[in-house]
Amino acid sequence: MSDREKLLELLDEFKNSVVKMVDERDFLKGESEELRTSKRESEEKAWAAEEKVTELTTKLEKADLAKDKSAKKLAAAKEELVGLSAKADEAESSKTEAVDTIRAERDELRKEMDEITGQLGRVSELYREASAEKDALQEKVDVSDLLAIYITLIETVFFGKPHARILYTLHDVKTAIPRKNIQTSTGIQPAAVLKAVHDLANADLVKYDEETQEVELTKDILRRS
């Protein structure tokens, strides 16, 4: 092989080497561009993810605060509910006790009224018997003695003294007065005053307001001017 041929062969090898190096450079350049693009995209995704994390963290903190507030409100509501339930139970218990007391007083008053009715029936019978004996004996009965007997019966048997004093007090004032004032002015025991007021109300002689506890005369017995 001549020197010229060797030189041409070397030139071809050099040319091929240069072409290969250029190709490799272009390939590396493309690879570098792709790497830069990938890096930029990765950085952008990382930034977006970081912002998302920050946003989610803020929302989580707000959610925790709202949860704490809700828990406090729920605890307060439960406490209030317990208090209201206790008050409701207490009110129901008081109501039951009041109803039982009123029923007991009503039953007691009915019992006393039945006893008084029976006693009055017996007095009427005694009066009829006394009148029959008077006619049979043709004797004149002393009216003052008979009146004294009736007064004694009313005051002792029928316990009418509180009734009379209450009626007299109401005739004096001519207006509705509290039951406590009647107790104070007459000196009668509260239970006796209450019983007498109910008796007089049942007889339509007075009007008694359970709410205001005021007693008012409805029938003028003395007929004063």
Side-chain angles (χ1 to χ4, degrees), residues 69-181:
K69 290 182 180 179
S70 298
K72 290 179 180 179
K73 288 182 179 179
L74 180 60
K78 287 182 177 179
E79 184 177 355
E80 184 178 0
L81 179 60
V82 171
L84 291 175
S85 298
K87 289 182 179 179
D89 294 339
E90 183 180 353
E92 184 65 24
S93 177
S94 300
K95 178 183 176 182
T96 302
E97 291 178 0
V99 170
D100 292 341
T101 301
I102 292 173
R103 286 177 177 171
E105 291 179 354
R106 180 200 63 190
D107 294 340
E108 184 66 23
L109 288 174
R110 284 180 177 175
K111 181 180 178 182
E112 292 178 0
M113 286 298 296
D114 292 339
E115 292 177 356
I116 290 174
T117 302
Q119 291 170 351
L120 287 174
R122 289 194 292 273
V123 170
S124 299
E125 183 64 26
L126 289 174
Y127 178 78
R128 286 193 295 270
E129 291 177 359
S131 298
E133 290 179 2
K134 181 199 70 171
D135 294 338
L137 297 175
Q138 295 183 350
E139 293 180 354
K140 183 178 180 181
V141 179
D142 190 337
V143 176
S144 61
D145 292 340
L146 188 59
L147 180 60
I149 291 174
Y150 273 107
I151 291 174
T152 301
L153 288 173
I154 291 173
E155 289 185 350
T156 58
V157 179
F158 307 137
F159 305 101
K161 195 171 184 179
H163 302 69
R165 294 179 67 179
I166 291 172
L167 285 175
Y168 194 82
T169 301
L170 291 172
H171 274 82
D172 280 343
V173 296
K174 295 291 185 180
T175 184
I177 59 175
R179 179 163 55 87
K180 288 185 178 180
N181 290 5

Side-chain angles (χ1 to χ4, degrees), residues 203-222:
D204 294 328
L205 295 176
V206 301
K207 181 172 65 176
Y208 181 53
D209 190 325
E210 294 284 354
E211 294 184 359
T212 62
Q213 295 190 349
E214 289 187 339
V215 187
E216 182 179 2
L217 189 69
T218 58
K219 185 175 182 180
D220 188 355
I221 301 173
L222 302 182

